[in-house]
Structures are given as C-alpha cells and as structure tokens.
Amino acid sequence: METKGFAGPSCKAASKPYEDALGAKAAERLTPEYHATQTVADEGRLRA
C-alpha cells in the first residue's frame, strides 16, 4: 500500500485501518514525504 498526499507521520494514521484489515506487514519503506514537515498538494489520497 502506498499513501499519497501526506507529509510526516499522518500517512501512518491514514493507512492504519487498512493495515489492520490486511494483517501483518511484509515490509515498510518510508518515502521522502514521510520526513517532510509540510503537507503536499492533493492531501489525503490513498492508493492500495
């Protein structure tokens, strides 16, 4: 699963319900947006 449009750890909060429903993670890779402090355009898109 990849989140789009989130900056910082807010992506984890947005994807948590989906992660909980899908079960254990096989891997996690944090994007540069995760380390950003500003929100980016198109805030809130989630792509599964």
Side-chain angles (χ1 to χ4, degrees), residues 1 14-23 46 48:
M1 169 180 341
S15 64
K16 184 165 178 17
Y18 299 97
E19 291 175 10
D20 291 346
L22 293 171
L46 177 67

Side-chain angles (χ1 to χ4, degrees), residues 18-40:
Y18 299 97
E19 291 175 10
D20 291 346
L22 293 171
K25 291 186 229 180
E28 179 177 63
R29 183 179 56 184
L30 301 176
T31 64
E33 289 86 359
Y34 177 82
H35 302 285
T37 57
Q38 275 185 0
T39 55
V40 292

